[in-house]
Amino acid sequence: MAKAAHAASCGEGGLDPDEIAKEFAALVTGPALTGEDWLLVDADLPEGCSAQVGEWTLERVNPQRLAELRPEGVLGRFRPFALDFDLLDGAAFLHRETAWRPTGTVLPWPVLHARPQVRFAVPQGVLGLWACEPVHLDAIYYRENGRQTVREFGSVPVEEQSNDGENFWERRMDGPYRVEPAELVAFTKFIAASGELMATAAAELTAARKPADRKPSPRAQRLARATEHLVQATHATYGGDYVLHGMLDELVTHYVIALEALLAGGESEGLTRRVGQRAAALHLTDDARTDAEDLVRRAYAARSIYAHGAPPPAKEKDRFPESDLPRLRQLTYRVLLRWLVLWAPDEKDQPQPHQQQHQLLDRSLISRQVASKKIEEPLRRFYAATPPADLPADVC
């Protein structure tokens, strides 16, 4: 308002003071402001992509779409708009409606978190269920609808381009996560289905007589822990499988914590065996079960050495190889998806109590009927109806 009034008083831009006053009055007497979170991710999506991910929308934007987000009216000319048209043409965004919060008077909210990407782990985790190439959250924007858009965290990753070696321009960089145009329909369907499963589990509350007494259920708490550690590991992985020197053991630890959150069930004794066997029970062939149990056991061994400060094994063959890290990431995402599918509520049944989930997996290892009816059949139905890009061999 002050900037617009000053410009009008100086005769700049042909502004009409009456128009400014009218717009300001409409602003302060109109409905409460609403806001949106916009997350820039480094995925490469095909044109026209717009998919629901729980409460989020995943969208590839173009200049026309960005123009629709500009601040409106006379006062909007004097408000910030941080979405660069040239750099962000074709960029992938996750966005959702959120509560309005004032900007410019306090530190940006994400700065108050040591790892801002963790605040938005759930929608990023869903993308990893389709294909396990790492997706990075590059920047966080907050938009006051019709009024302004500010960048709260991060930036647009760019690299210099030239076609003659003399003239250079900046181009936004994408990561290894790519959805081909031919995959768009299947991708949209899968992301919507798995996003709904994730959102339902993440929002689950304990039963209580008073709504105020409800809190996240054990299932929701464990899901939050798992997705947070998956996102932290993903953000330390580049180009699909490259990790910075010295971070291998830390990333293995993140994946092991995620697996524990989903499969441990609170027991402390025999943890390696239980988590390995339960991860194996979520697979449908002997080869897949054996591979899953072996990978979890070796990851646990590496995690224990790292966490307890012991020196690494002297023999190279006894160490967890960096080449197995993509396999461990893929296994953890696969376990997460199957964990969501098996205990999603349907029209007849509610999710089983948390401890019963683990008892079911344990029981399936000794009962072929339980394994077939309670695990294999629902998983095969889900994969047949909504197959991901990385379709596991054990369900083909």
Side-chain angles (χ1 to χ4, degrees):
M1 175 66 176
K3 293 178 180 178
H6 177 75
S9 66
C10 296
E12 299 175 1
L15 297 177
D16 182 354
D18 290 338
E19 186 179 357
I20 295 172
K22 181 179 179 181
E23 187 172 311
F24 181 72
L27 174 67
V28 298
T29 61
L33 291 173
T34 59
E36 292 181 335
D37 290 315
W38 281 69
L39 314 180
L40 173 64
V41 293
D42 64 354
D44 184 0
L45 304 177
E47 292 185 12
C49 179
S50 180
Q52 286 302 122
V53 188
E55 64 177 338
W56 296 82
T57 298
L58 176 67
E59 179 180 359
R60 174 185 166 127
V61 300
N62 53 35
Q64 292 74 28
R65 176 64 169 133
L66 293 172
E68 296 173 359
L69 304 177
R70 272 193 177 281
E72 300 171 353
V74 176
L75 296 178
R77 303 180 199 176
F78 300 90
R79 300 303 298 168
F81 183 67
L83 300 175
D84 185 286
F85 276 41
D86 294 329
L87 288 180
L88 295 177
D89 182 16
F93 278 93
L94 285 157
H95 59 88
R96 66 169 180 186
E97 290 188 0
T98 187
W100 176 80
R101 58 180 183 266
T103 57
T105 58
V106 295
L107 287 174
W109 285 104
V111 173
L112 302 179
H113 200 295
R115 295 181 175 91
Q117 64 272 9
V118 169
R119 295 179 58 235
F120 306 104
V122 167
Q124 296 173 78
V126 174
L127 297 183
L129 299 176
W130 164 261
C132 69
E133 284 82 3
V135 177
H136 300 95
L137 173 56
D138 290 326
I140 300 172
Y141 299 84
Y142 174 71
R143 177 173 178 254
E144 290 177 283
N145 292 340
R147 188 165 178 262
Q148 66 177 352
T149 301
V150 297
R151 189 178 74 246
E152 296 186 319
F153 167 80
S155 60
V156 181
V158 298
E159 63 181 356
E160 285 192 337
Q161 293 283 298
S162 175
N163 54 13
D164 57 10
E166 296 182 0
N167 299 301
F168 292 86
W169 65 91
E170 290 183 333
R171 183 187 73 89
R172 176 181 50 82
M173 294 187 297
D174 287 323
Y177 191 97
R178 178 177 177 82
V179 180
E180 300 294 342
E183 298 175 315
L184 181 56
V185 173
F187 171 75
T188 302
K189 187 176 181 180
F190 176 88
I191 289 295
S194 55
E196 183 177 357
L197 292 175
M198 184 83 86
T200 300
E204 186 177 83
L205 302 175
T206 56
R209 293 183 178 180
K210 298 180 180 179
D213 295 334
R214 295 177 182 177
K215 60 182 181 179
S217 68
R219 164 185 162 103
Q221 294 180 48
R222 290 183 173 276
L223 175 62
R225 176 64 60 86
T227 53
E228 287 175 6
H229 282 276
L230 271 172
V231 166
Q232 290 185 62
T234 294
H235 274 253
T237 306
Y238 305 90
D241 57 7
Y242 174 75
V243 299
L244 298 179
H245 180 70
M247 290 196 68
L248 173 63
D249 292 331
E250 182 178 340
L251 267 62
V252 170
T253 299
H254 281 306
Y255 292 126
V256 170
I257 292 174
L259 289 168
E260 275 191 10
L262 299 172
L263 301 175
E267 304 101 334
S268 57
E269 294 184 3
L271 199 57
T272 302
R273 175 183 56 80
R274 267 195 295 272
V275 173
Q277 289 182 348
R278 289 168 182 170
L282 287 168
H283 292 75
L284 311 187
T285 65
D286 287 347
D287 287 344
R289 284 190 285 267
T290 301
D291 289 345
E293 193 278 335
D294 175 70
L295 188 57
V296 172
R297 178 173 45 79
R298 292 190 291 110
Y300 256 101
R303 194 282 300 263
S304 296
I305 293 172
Y306 175 71
H308 298 150
K315 297 181 180 179
E316 187 69 28
K317 68 180 181 65
D318 296 329
R319 301 177 186 178
F320 191 90
E322 188 170 330
S323 59
D324 276 352
L325 197 61
R327 290 183 57 216
L328 182 59
R329 180 175 70 245
Q330 184 181 56
L331 172 67
T332 309
Y333 273 108
R334 189 169 294 168
V335 166
L336 172 58
L337 176 59
R338 297 179 185 206
W339 185 88
L340 290 169
V341 170
L342 290 181
W343 295 291
D346 57 28
E347 295 179 355
K348 299 180 181 179
D349 301 320
Q350 294 298 315
Q352 295 178 341
H354 187 64
Q355 295 299 329
Q356 290 185 19
Q357 300 175 4
H358 302 119
Q359 294 171 9
L360 174 63
L361 288 176
D362 295 341
R363 184 67 179 170
S364 72
L365 294 173
I366 59 175
S367 170
R368 189 72 193 92
Q369 183 178 18
V370 171
S372 175
K373 295 293 184 181
K374 299 295 185 179
I375 295 178
E376 294 181 14
E377 288 185 9
L379 288 179
R380 290 189 186 281
R381 284 197 302 268
F382 179 87
Y383 278 110
T386 51
D390 295 332
L391 186 63
D394 65 321
V395 298
C396 293

